[in-house]
Amino acid sequence: MPLIEIKDRAAIAGVGQSAYGRRLMRSAIDLGADAIAAALADAGLKRDELDGMIVTFGTPIGADADTLAQVLNLKLRAYSQTWAHGRFTASAIQWAALMVASGMANHVACLASVSFSGLRRPVMGGAGDSEGAREAGGSHGEDPVFGMTSPGAGAALVARRYFARYGATSALLAAVPMAFRKHAALNPAAIMREPFSVADHQASRFVCEPLHLLDYCLINDGAACVIVTSAERARDLRQPPVYIAGMQPLPAGREEFIWAYPGFGVAQQAAFDYDAGAQPVYRMAGVGPGDIDALFTYDAFSILAWMALERFGFCKPGEAAAFTQDGRIELGGALPMNLNGGLLSEAHIMGWNHQVEIVRQLRGACGTRQVAGAEVIQWANAYGDSLIYHR
Amino acid sequence: MAENKDEYRKPRPAVSALNRPYWDALRRHQLVLQRCGECGMRWYPAAPLCPRCWSRRIEWAPASGRGRVNSWVVFHQSYFRGFDADVPYNVAEVELEEGPRLLTNLIDVGNDEIRAGMEVEVVFDDAAPDLTIAKFRPRRASA
């Protein structure tokens, strides 16, 4: 038995964001300050009540936790920060939940702020490819000797194998970014709001084939923040709490590749028929995939939505191509996904913009893009971690 | 291939104490992989111990140089100046007969002719005086 029963013990009490834009020409610290202040105001918390922070994407693209604490003159009892990747969103919230459950902190700001327009040289993809220079290679499969660079190339490798293995096509994959763009059209904060057709998708240039430009997320500036606190404390604050019912941590190992579930057979993964089985997040939350009112996923590249659907058992391996057609993942469909527009169309805030949207959906505050009666919403990713929230 | 090999402008490998034998062998036109002296496992990339049994009794041993295309991509955008003239260029993941997968560039085949499962064999590309790279080409009828 676990030492701490964590189900429904932690909640999101406040959410906030900065402006999002392609080239805001504002620093990551500046944007992060906006998001933190907005989240505190949303929760009805004073600055000095914030005593914990976890940042998932710092130097050189984002603002680091210690710097934010200095600039904002915070009194943090506890902070932490991950290696600069988008994959740690659920991890940060899980650790924050453990922090508040154990009394290490009372109110934990979890966030990333990014300022790609402030970068002097590329750090992901290209000549400054820090991933490719890593001993034993990059975490998205980077190997600059062969010109293999950038997270998108690793996703393209997965997409090509998916197409070859299951007979799917790029035209079918177009349904994913098209759906998220439709949602972005309903979101005034989204950077890309113009709907497009399959023909537009197919006509957009290849970046790393078989992925087209419209399969790639945005590169932008912005920050988003959520405040994690105890469920008890959240009930005393300004907004209705959004509870964290289920948690599934981030796995690693030889059978994991960042953009593919075990058995898919890329990088050094064994190739076998994956069976989602009973994913721990559902057992903990006491619900199943059929109970999920909306699904949010880390959509840096369109193919990741297919991988997430199959990894968590919404459909079987090879079935996501058909599953995502005919509006099923759109507002009004059986499983609406990424109602904010996702990284593909709202903004790339490392998944923090998705957490903000999940909370607002569960508050019923999303206006024309509101999922009617949304009670249970899941964050689940190609790389295997997950959160299940409810109101 | 037209580039001046004395002025190699593509990214060079990050040679480390772990993987130096791999790169040294390529210069001798040998493709080698580590092998576990306890359980026989072969693997890539270089590791200090056998990923399966953690034995440190490991050796570098020749690989067949034969494999199949597992997946591939085609870069339509250049991220490195040294690859500017190559766009669009392919990067393939080749599954060797021994099991491990290598990233590589396929030569002697059009980007539109690459297929999953295509049989390929290693080619030693003397890219610079001090650097040989393992590339692959479609396997030729029984040599």
Side-chain angles (χ1 to χ4, degrees):
Chain A
M1 286 296 290
L3 196 59
I4 304 174
E5 178 60 56
I6 198 76
K7 178 187 177 187
D8 291 337
R9 294 283 300 279
I12 309 294
V15 297
Q17 70 199 61
S18 71
Y20 301 153
R22 299 294 289 272
R23 290 181 66 80
L24 296 176
M25 304 313 288
R26 290 174 58 190
S27 82
I29 289 174
D30 182 8
L31 296 164
D34 269 359
I36 292 167
L40 287 172
D42 183 55
L45 285 166
K46 295 188 194 68
R47 182 210 324 196
D48 287 351
E49 292 177 286
L50 186 67
D51 56 358
M53 182 181 291
I54 303 177
V55 165
T56 61
F57 206 96
T59 301
I61 300 172
D64 295 326
D66 60 340
T67 320
L68 285 166
Q70 285 184 7
V71 169
L72 291 168
N73 193 14
L74 302 175
K75 296 182 176 66
L76 301 184
R77 288 195 287 148
Y79 80 94
S80 189
Q81 182 167 327
T82 66
W83 167 41
H85 274 281
R87 74 188 70 158
F88 298 112
T89 316
S91 300
I93 291 175
Q94 291 163 9
W95 299 332
L98 292 168
M99 287 164 75
V100 299
S102 63
M104 287 198 294
N106 293 326
H107 308 104
V108 184
C110 299
L111 72 145
S113 63
V114 295
S115 177
F116 280 96
S117 68
L119 272 185
R120 287 178 201 85
R121 64 184 178 89
V123 292
M124 286 189 157
D129 188 350
S130 57
E131 284 287 307
R134 202 171 70 144
E135 187 175 25
S139 61
H140 318 93
E142 293 89 339
D143 192 341
V145 173
F146 301 103
M148 182 70 177
T149 188
S150 83
L157 204 65
V158 168
R160 175 67 80 190
R161 179 162 165 81
Y162 192 101
F163 295 170
R165 187 167 174 180
Y166 298 116
T169 62
S170 170
L172 289 170
L173 185 56
V176 171
M178 282 169 60
F180 300 172
R181 182 62 61 86
K182 281 188 186 178
H183 298 156
L186 303 172
N187 176 6
I191 295 172
M192 302 293 279
R193 301 185 61 198
E194 191 69 31
F196 59 84
S197 66
V198 176
D200 294 334
H201 175 271
Q202 294 295 290
S204 70
R205 68 180 171 89
F206 284 123
V207 180
C208 191
E209 189 181 350
L211 296 185
H212 291 266
L213 181 64
L214 290 173
D215 293 308
Y216 274 65
C217 65
L218 305 174
I219 291 176
N220 51 236
D221 302 341
C225 175
V226 308
I227 308 288
V228 177
T229 188
S230 70
E232 283 179 9
R233 176 66 176 144
R235 284 191 279 271
D236 295 335
L237 294 174
R238 180 175 292 160
Q239 299 285 355
V242 167
Y243 298 98
I244 304 165
M247 299 182 186
Q248 185 163 321
L250 179 62
R254 246 183 136 66
E255 299 306 328
E256 296 289 346
F257 176 66
I258 183 73
W259 302 144
Y261 47 76
F264 190 73
V266 290
Q268 305 302 330
Q269 291 179 314
F272 57 84
D273 292 327
Y274 172 77
D275 178 357
Q279 294 285 301
V281 71
Y282 297 120
R283 197 168 58 237
M284 179 172 168
V287 299
D291 300 313
I292 303 302
D293 296 319
L295 178 66
F296 284 71
T297 196
Y298 192 85
D299 57 328
F301 309 99
S302 56
I303 186 71
L304 305 187
W306 284 4
M307 302 310 289
L309 285 165
E310 295 181 2
R311 180 159 198 153
F312 283 85
F314 289 94
C315 56
K316 292 191 167 60
E319 293 181 352
F323 185 94
T324 49
Q325 306 304 307
D326 305 322
R328 185 183 270 134
I329 61 169
E330 294 174 14
L331 183 64
L335 186 70
M337 294 179 67
N338 289 5
L339 281 309
N340 56 335
L343 306 176
L344 284 162
S345 284
E346 186 190 32
H348 191 337
I349 316 294
M350 305 297 158
W352 292 104
N353 49 323
H354 298 60
Q355 312 313 306
V356 168
E357 177 79 5
I358 289 168
V359 168
R360 289 180 178 151
Q361 285 280 346
L362 289 171
R363 291 176 184 170
C366 287
T368 55
R369 65 179 191 281
Q370 177 67 42
V371 175
E375 293 185 358
V376 182
I377 296 184
Q378 185 175 7
W379 169 248
N381 297 308
Y383 35 83
D385 65 0
S386 184
L387 297 166
I388 292 178
Y389 297 94
H390 70 93
R391 66 183 189 194
Chain B
M1 290 299 168
E3 66 210 326
N4 180 343
K5 294 193 173 184
D6 292 324
E7 293 179 35
Y8 187 69
R9 296 180 63 193
K10 290 176 176 167
R12 285 175 170 269
V15 179
S16 69
L18 271 182
N19 67 19
R20 186 175 299 282
Y22 172 86
W23 291 103
D24 286 349
L26 286 180
R27 291 184 64 190
R28 302 189 302 269
H29 287 199
Q30 268 197 319
L31 181 68
V32 298
L33 290 174
Q34 286 172 302
R35 179 167 63 200
C36 177
E38 301 286 342
C39 75
M41 187 181 176
R42 310 294 298 267
W43 65 86
Y44 184 89
L49 40 60
C50 170
R52 185 158 61 197
C53 73
W54 276 18
S55 171
R56 286 206 174 239
R57 197 158 71 79
I58 55 182
E59 61 186 351
W60 288 91
S64 68
R66 291 187 299 270
R68 290 173 181 272
V69 173
N70 189 58
S71 190
W72 76 100
V73 299
V74 177
F75 279 79
H76 288 259
Q77 177 169 319
S78 182
Y79 293 85
F80 301 106
R81 292 190 64 184
F83 278 92
D84 284 353
D86 295 6
V87 172
Y89 66 90
N90 71 70
V91 178
E93 186 177 73
V94 167
E95 183 169 304
L96 297 173
E97 285 183 353
E98 292 81 1
R101 301 193 190 106
L102 300 182
L103 286 170
T104 187
N105 303 123
L106 298 180
I107 62 170
D108 297 347
V109 61
N111 290 338
D112 292 338
E113 298 165 353
I114 303 169
R115 297 288 178 269
M118 176 181 272
E119 295 188 344
V120 293
E121 63 190 5
V122 71
V123 179
F124 298 99
D125 177 11
D126 295 317
D130 60 344
L131 176 65
T132 298
I133 294 170
K135 295 188 174 176
F136 284 77
R137 69 181 173 205
R139 201 145 112 212
R140 292 173 180 173
S142 59

Tab-separated table of all heavy atoms in Angstrom, chain A residues 321-365:
chain	number	residue	atom	x	y	z
A	321	ALA	N	-5.733	6.031	-36.873
A	321	ALA	CA	-5.943	6.735	-38.139
A	321	ALA	C	-7.439	6.820	-38.444
A	321	ALA	O	-7.955	7.884	-38.794
A	321	ALA	CB	-5.204	6.021	-39.264
A	322	ALA	N	-8.145	5.709	-38.285
A	322	ALA	CA	-9.595	5.707	-38.528
A	322	ALA	C	-10.340	6.404	-37.392
A	322	ALA	O	-11.304	7.144	-37.628
A	322	ALA	CB	-10.091	4.275	-38.688
A	323	PHE	N	-9.851	6.204	-36.173
A	323	PHE	CA	-10.522	6.748	-34.985
A	323	PHE	C	-10.645	8.271	-35.049
A	323	PHE	O	-11.634	8.844	-34.578
A	323	PHE	CB	-9.722	6.339	-33.746
A	323	PHE	CG	-10.343	6.729	-32.429
A	323	PHE	CD1	-11.154	5.847	-31.722
A	323	PHE	CD2	-10.106	7.985	-31.866
A	323	PHE	CE1	-11.719	6.207	-30.506
A	323	PHE	CE2	-10.662	8.355	-30.651
A	323	PHE	CZ	-11.471	7.458	-29.970
A	324	THR	N	-9.643	8.924	-35.602
A	324	THR	CA	-9.610	10.392	-35.571
A	324	THR	C	-10.367	11.051	-36.735
A	324	THR	O	-10.352	12.278	-36.858
A	324	THR	CB	-8.148	10.894	-35.572
A	324	THR	OG1	-7.420	10.231	-36.608
A	324	THR	CG2	-7.484	10.602	-34.238
A	325	GLN	N	-11.026	10.246	-37.587
A	325	GLN	CA	-11.748	10.820	-38.728
A	325	GLN	C	-13.174	11.238	-38.323
A	325	GLN	O	-13.647	10.907	-37.234
A	325	GLN	CB	-11.819	9.808	-39.879
A	325	GLN	CG	-10.468	9.256	-40.312
A	325	GLN	CD	-9.468	10.331	-40.717
A	325	GLN	OE1	-9.775	11.176	-41.559
A	325	GLN	NE2	-8.276	10.306	-40.122
A	326	ASP	N	-13.833	11.921	-39.228
A	326	ASP	CA	-15.272	12.212	-39.126
A	326	ASP	C	-15.656	12.991	-37.871
A	326	ASP	O	-16.744	12.813	-37.333
A	326	ASP	CB	-16.085	10.910	-39.202
A	326	ASP	CG	-15.756	10.114	-40.461
A	326	ASP	OD1	-15.563	10.756	-41.518
A	326	ASP	OD2	-15.665	8.878	-40.378
A	327	GLY	N	-14.744	13.820	-37.394
A	327	GLY	CA	-15.112	14.723	-36.301
A	327	GLY	C	-15.114	14.114	-34.917
A	327	GLY	O	-15.512	14.774	-33.958
A	328	ARG	N	-14.661	12.869	-34.779
A	328	ARG	CA	-14.733	12.240	-33.458
A	328	ARG	C	-13.914	12.983	-32.409
A	328	ARG	O	-14.304	13.023	-31.245
A	328	ARG	CB	-14.271	10.785	-33.537
A	328	ARG	CG	-14.466	10.069	-32.191
A	328	ARG	CD	-13.957	8.636	-32.217
A	328	ARG	NE	-14.978	7.704	-32.623
A	328	ARG	CZ	-14.785	6.741	-33.523
A	328	ARG	NH1	-13.620	6.611	-34.108
A	328	ARG	NH2	-15.751	5.911	-33.822
A	329	ILE	N	-12.793	13.614	-32.813
A	329	ILE	CA	-11.943	14.301	-31.825
A	329	ILE	C	-12.207	15.802	-31.795
A	329	ILE	O	-11.475	16.560	-31.184
A	329	ILE	CB	-10.444	14.010	-32.070
A	329	ILE	CG1	-9.998	14.511	-33.447
A	329	ILE	CG2	-10.154	12.526	-31.896
A	329	ILE	CD1	-8.468	14.493	-33.634
A	330	GLU	N	-13.289	16.206	-32.496
A	330	GLU	CA	-13.642	17.634	-32.502
A	330	GLU	C	-14.722	17.920	-31.463
A	330	GLU	O	-15.437	17.023	-31.022
A	330	GLU	CB	-14.153	18.035	-33.896
A	330	GLU	CG	-13.078	17.939	-34.965
A	330	GLU	CD	-13.629	18.193	-36.365
A	330	GLU	OE1	-14.770	18.703	-36.488
A	330	GLU	OE2	-12.921	17.861	-37.330
A	331	LEU	N	-14.855	19.191	-31.118
A	331	LEU	CA	-15.931	19.642	-30.232
A	331	LEU	C	-17.260	19.100	-30.769
A	331	LEU	O	-17.557	19.252	-31.950
A	331	LEU	CB	-15.955	21.176	-30.209
A	331	LEU	CG	-16.973	21.830	-29.288
A	331	LEU	CD1	-16.688	21.497	-27.832
A	331	LEU	CD2	-16.981	23.344	-29.498
A	332	GLY	N	-18.004	18.427	-29.909
A	332	GLY	CA	-19.256	17.815	-30.351
A	332	GLY	C	-19.089	16.349	-30.713
A	332	GLY	O	-20.072	15.628	-30.854
A	333	GLY	N	-17.831	15.897	-30.880
A	333	GLY	CA	-17.553	14.498	-31.181
A	333	GLY	C	-17.508	13.662	-29.910
A	333	GLY	O	-17.643	14.182	-28.802
A	334	ALA	N	-17.287	12.363	-30.095
A	334	ALA	CA	-17.315	11.446	-28.956
A	334	ALA	C	-16.144	11.685	-28.000
A	334	ALA	O	-16.269	11.489	-26.792
A	334	ALA	CB	-17.293	10.006	-29.458
A	335	LEU	N	-14.998	12.093	-28.538
A	335	LEU	CA	-13.826	12.334	-27.691
A	335	LEU	C	-13.118	13.603	-28.161
A	335	LEU	O	-12.092	13.540	-28.851
A	335	LEU	CB	-12.852	11.143	-27.744
A	335	LEU	CG	-11.663	11.248	-26.788
A	335	LEU	CD1	-12.104	11.089	-25.332
A	335	LEU	CD2	-10.586	10.217	-27.128
A	336	PRO	N	-13.641	14.758	-27.802
A	336	PRO	CA	-12.978	15.998	-28.226
A	336	PRO	C	-11.583	16.103	-27.604
A	336	PRO	O	-11.393	15.774	-26.431
A	336	PRO	CB	-13.905	17.102	-27.722
A	336	PRO	CG	-14.767	16.473	-26.679
A	336	PRO	CD	-14.861	15.017	-27.018
A	337	MET	N	-10.620	16.530	-28.422
A	337	MET	CA	-9.231	16.616	-27.962
A	337	MET	C	-8.701	18.044	-28.127
A	337	MET	O	-9.035	18.734	-29.088
A	337	MET	CB	-8.337	15.661	-28.772
A	337	MET	CG	-8.643	14.183	-28.544
A	337	MET	SD	-7.582	13.090	-29.547
A	337	MET	CE	-5.959	13.391	-28.798
A	338	ASN	N	-7.835	18.433	-27.219
A	338	ASN	CA	-7.106	19.703	-27.305
A	338	ASN	C	-8.012	20.869	-27.720
A	338	ASN	O	-7.814	21.482	-28.769
A	338	ASN	CB	-5.900	19.560	-28.254
A	338	ASN	CG	-4.809	18.700	-27.637
A	338	ASN	OD1	-4.975	18.133	-26.554
A	338	ASN	ND2	-3.668	18.623	-28.298
A	339	LEU	N	-8.965	21.149	-26.855
A	339	LEU	CA	-9.962	22.183	-27.152
A	339	LEU	C	-9.358	23.578	-27.237
A	339	LEU	O	-9.971	24.501	-27.769
A	339	LEU	CB	-11.062	22.175	-26.076
A	339	LEU	CG	-12.163	21.108	-26.149
A	339	LEU	CD1	-12.800	21.059	-27.532
A	339	LEU	CD2	-11.665	19.732	-25.760
A	340	ASN	N	-8.159	23.770	-26.694
A	340	ASN	CA	-7.494	25.069	-26.771
A	340	ASN	C	-6.870	25.311	-28.145
A	340	ASN	O	-6.521	26.434	-28.480
A	340	ASN	CB	-6.403	25.184	-25.695
A	340	ASN	CG	-5.385	24.061	-25.765
A	340	ASN	OD1	-5.672	22.970	-26.269
A	340	ASN	ND2	-4.194	24.312	-25.255
A	341	GLY	N	-6.736	24.223	-28.918
A	341	GLY	CA	-6.014	24.325	-30.190
A	341	GLY	C	-4.652	23.661	-30.117
A	341	GLY	O	-3.998	23.472	-31.139
A	342	GLY	N	-4.231	23.318	-28.916
A	342	GLY	CA	-3.002	22.547	-28.742
A	342	GLY	C	-1.734	23.325	-29.052
A	342	GLY	O	-1.745	24.530	-29.311
A	343	LEU	N	-0.630	22.587	-29.013
A	343	LEU	CA	0.655	23.165	-29.404
A	343	LEU	C	0.646	23.450	-30.899
A	343	LEU	O	1.375	24.306	-31.395
A	343	LEU	CB	1.803	22.194	-29.105
A	343	LEU	CG	1.929	21.648	-27.682
A	343	LEU	CD1	3.056	20.629	-27.619
A	343	LEU	CD2	2.191	22.757	-26.689
A	344	LEU	N	-0.209	22.715	-31.622
A	344	LEU	CA	-0.272	22.861	-33.076
A	344	LEU	C	-0.881	24.187	-33.495
A	344	LEU	O	-0.541	24.717	-34.554
A	344	LEU	CB	-1.064	21.697	-33.687
A	344	LEU	CG	-0.320	20.358	-33.759
A	344	LEU	CD1	-1.291	19.199	-33.945
A	344	LEU	CD2	0.700	20.365	-34.892
A	345	SER	N	-1.821	24.722	-32.682
A	345	SER	CA	-2.502	25.943	-33.135
A	345	SER	C	-2.676	27.030	-32.072
A	345	SER	O	-2.724	28.201	-32.418
A	345	SER	CB	-3.881	25.600	-33.710
A	345	SER	OG	-3.758	25.037	-34.994
A	346	GLU	N	-2.797	26.639	-30.779
A	346	GLU	CA	-2.923	27.720	-29.791
A	346	GLU	C	-1.557	28.357	-29.566
A	346	GLU	O	-1.326	29.515	-29.897
A	346	GLU	CB	-3.485	27.237	-28.446
A	346	GLU	CG	-3.728	28.437	-27.502
A	346	GLU	CD	-4.049	28.074	-26.060
A	346	GLU	OE1	-3.553	27.046	-25.561
A	346	GLU	OE2	-4.792	28.840	-25.427
A	347	ALA	N	-0.657	27.572	-28.982
A	347	ALA	CA	0.699	28.047	-28.714
A	347	ALA	C	1.483	26.870	-28.142
A	347	ALA	O	0.893	25.926	-27.614
A	347	ALA	CB	0.685	29.185	-27.693
A	348	HIS	N	2.808	26.915	-28.264
A	348	HIS	CA	3.662	25.890	-27.673
A	348	HIS	C	4.168	26.407	-26.327
A	348	HIS	O	5.186	27.078	-26.254
A	348	HIS	CB	4.830	25.560	-28.597
A	348	HIS	CG	5.594	24.343	-28.166
A	348	HIS	ND1	5.591	23.870	-26.881
A	348	HIS	CD2	6.371	23.489	-28.862
A	348	HIS	CE1	6.340	22.787	-26.795
A	348	HIS	NE2	6.826	22.534	-27.988
A	349	ILE	N	3.369	26.091	-25.285
A	349	ILE	CA	3.788	26.477	-23.935
A	349	ILE	C	4.081	25.178	-23.167
A	349	ILE	O	3.718	25.034	-22.000
A	349	ILE	CB	2.715	27.345	-23.237
A	349	ILE	CG1	2.166	28.425	-24.193
A	349	ILE	CG2	3.307	28.025	-21.990
A	349	ILE	CD1	3.163	29.499	-24.628
A	350	MET	N	4.673	24.225	-23.845
A	350	MET	CA	5.168	22.996	-23.232
A	350	MET	C	4.068	22.190	-22.535
A	350	MET	O	4.331	21.470	-21.579
A	350	MET	CB	6.289	23.309	-22.217
A	350	MET	CG	7.414	24.112	-22.802
A	350	MET	SD	8.247	23.192	-24.114
A	350	MET	CE	8.989	24.547	-25.026
A	351	GLY	N	2.848	22.351	-22.981
A	351	GLY	CA	1.739	21.603	-22.372
A	351	GLY	C	1.060	22.338	-21.230
A	351	GLY	O	0.010	21.906	-20.766
A	352	TRP	N	1.640	23.456	-20.781
A	352	TRP	CA	1.018	24.192	-19.673
A	352	TRP	C	-0.250	24.897	-20.122
A	352	TRP	O	-1.205	25.049	-19.351
A	352	TRP	CB	2.021	25.159	-19.031
A	352	TRP	CG	3.071	24.381	-18.331
A	352	TRP	CD1	4.348	24.165	-18.746
A	352	TRP	CD2	2.898	23.613	-17.127
A	352	TRP	NE1	4.985	23.307	-17.872
A	352	TRP	CE2	4.121	22.960	-16.883
A	352	TRP	CE3	1.838	23.406	-16.260
A	352	TRP	CZ2	4.306	22.111	-15.781
A	352	TRP	CZ3	2.009	22.568	-15.167
A	352	TRP	CH2	3.245	21.940	-14.941
A	353	ASN	N	-0.283	25.307	-21.408
A	353	ASN	CA	-1.507	25.909	-21.928
A	353	ASN	C	-2.641	24.878	-21.957
A	353	ASN	O	-3.801	25.222	-21.785
A	353	ASN	CB	-1.279	26.530	-23.316
A	353	ASN	CG	-0.575	25.623	-24.301
A	353	ASN	OD1	0.333	24.866	-23.930
A	353	ASN	ND2	-0.954	25.685	-25.555
A	354	HIS	N	-2.292	23.597	-22.141
A	354	HIS	CA	-3.323	22.555	-22.105
A	354	HIS	C	-3.879	22.405	-20.679
A	354	HIS	O	-5.086	22.224	-20.501
A	354	HIS	CB	-2.742	21.212	-22.548
A	354	HIS	CG	-2.217	21.171	-23.948
A	354	HIS	ND1	-1.210	21.977	-24.401
A	354	HIS	CD2	-2.553	20.389	-25.001
A	354	HIS	CE1	-0.966	21.700	-25.672
A	354	HIS	NE2	-1.753	20.737	-26.065
A	355	GLN	N	-2.995	22.481	-19.677
A	355	GLN	CA	-3.491	22.337	-18.290
A	355	GLN	C	-4.436	23.493	-17.952
A	355	GLN	O	-5.454	23.309	-17.273
A	355	GLN	CB	-2.333	22.305	-17.278
A	355	GLN	CG	-1.182	21.360	-17.621
A	355	GLN	CD	-1.612	19.966	-18.043
A	355	GLN	OE1	-2.359	19.302	-17.331
A	355	GLN	NE2	-1.144	19.528	-19.203
A	356	VAL	N	-4.084	24.680	-18.403
A	356	VAL	CA	-4.947	25.852	-18.161
A	356	VAL	C	-6.328	25.620	-18.782
A	356	VAL	O	-7.363	25.865	-18.155
A	356	VAL	CB	-4.281	27.126	-18.744
A	356	VAL	CG1	-5.266	28.291	-18.775
A	356	VAL	CG2	-3.028	27.487	-17.938
A	357	GLU	N	-6.344	25.115	-20.010
A	357	GLU	CA	-7.615	24.870	-20.696
A	357	GLU	C	-8.425	23.773	-20.008
A	357	GLU	O	-9.656	23.881	-19.881
A	357	GLU	CB	-7.355	24.497	-22.160
A	357	GLU	CG	-8.606	24.146	-22.959
A	357	GLU	CD	-9.414	25.359	-23.425
A	357	GLU	OE1	-8.957	26.505	-23.212
A	357	GLU	OE2	-10.503	25.155	-24.001
A	358	ILE	N	-7.757	22.715	-19.563
A	358	ILE	CA	-8.457	21.622	-18.867
A	358	ILE	C	-9.203	22.184	-17.657
A	358	ILE	O	-10.384	21.894	-17.436
A	358	ILE	CB	-7.459	20.524	-18.426
A	358	ILE	CG1	-6.937	19.747	-19.640
A	358	ILE	CG2	-8.115	19.570	-17.420
A	358	ILE	CD1	-5.741	18.843	-19.337
A	359	VAL	N	-8.501	23.010	-16.891
A	359	VAL	CA	-9.107	23.577	-15.679
A	359	VAL	C	-10.300	24.453	-16.056
A	359	VAL	O	-11.374	24.369	-15.450
A	359	VAL	CB	-8.059	24.363	-14.871
A	359	VAL	CG1	-8.715	25.188	-13.773
A	359	VAL	CG2	-7.024	23.394	-14.299
A	360	ARG	N	-10.146	25.271	-17.055
A	360	ARG	CA	-11.257	26.154	-17.463
A	360	ARG	C	-12.428	25.349	-18.010
A	360	ARG	O	-13.592	25.699	-17.792
A	360	ARG	CB	-10.763	27.175	-18.497
A	360	ARG	CG	-9.841	28.209	-17.872
A	360	ARG	CD	-9.364	29.217	-18.905
A	360	ARG	NE	-8.512	30.222	-18.284
A	360	ARG	CZ	-7.532	30.864	-18.910
A	360	ARG	NH1	-7.290	30.612	-20.190
A	360	ARG	NH2	-6.794	31.755	-18.274
A	361	GLN	N	-12.155	24.273	-18.728
A	361	GLN	CA	-13.241	23.409	-19.225
A	361	GLN	C	-14.008	22.808	-18.045
A	361	GLN	O	-15.237	22.744	-18.062
A	361	GLN	CB	-12.662	22.284	-20.103
A	361	GLN	CG	-12.217	22.745	-21.495
A	361	GLN	CD	-13.376	22.893	-22.479
A	361	GLN	OE1	-14.488	22.426	-22.236
A	361	GLN	NE2	-13.115	23.575	-23.596
A	362	LEU	N	-13.272	22.375	-17.024
A	362	LEU	CA	-13.942	21.746	-15.873
A	362	LEU	C	-14.664	22.772	-15.006
A	362	LEU	O	-15.537	22.419	-14.215
A	362	LEU	CB	-12.939	20.930	-15.057
A	362	LEU	CG	-12.475	19.649	-15.771
A	362	LEU	CD1	-11.317	18.999	-15.029
A	362	LEU	CD2	-13.631	18.661	-15.924
A	363	ARG	N	-14.319	24.032	-15.164
A	363	ARG	CA	-15.084	25.099	-14.507
A	363	ARG	C	-16.282	25.515	-15.360
A	363	ARG	O	-17.072	26.356	-14.945
A	363	ARG	CB	-14.193	26.337	-14.294
A	363	ARG	CG	-13.085	26.170	-13.269
A	363	ARG	CD	-12.263	27.455	-13.260
A	363	ARG	NE	-11.111	27.390	-12.369
A	363	ARG	CZ	-10.153	28.319	-12.359
A	363	ARG	NH1	-10.236	29.361	-13.179
A	363	ARG	NH2	-9.135	28.203	-11.530
A	364	GLY	N	-16.344	25.010	-16.588
A	364	GLY	CA	-17.426	25.397	-17.499
A	364	GLY	C	-17.271	26.807	-18.026
A	364	GLY	O	-18.249	27.474	-18.347
A	365	ALA	N	-16.017	27.260	-18.140
A	365	ALA	CA	-15.750	28.668	-18.447
A	365	ALA	C	-15.235	28.906	-19.868
A	365	ALA	O	-14.621	29.932	-20.131
A	365	ALA	CB	-14.741	29.214	-17.443
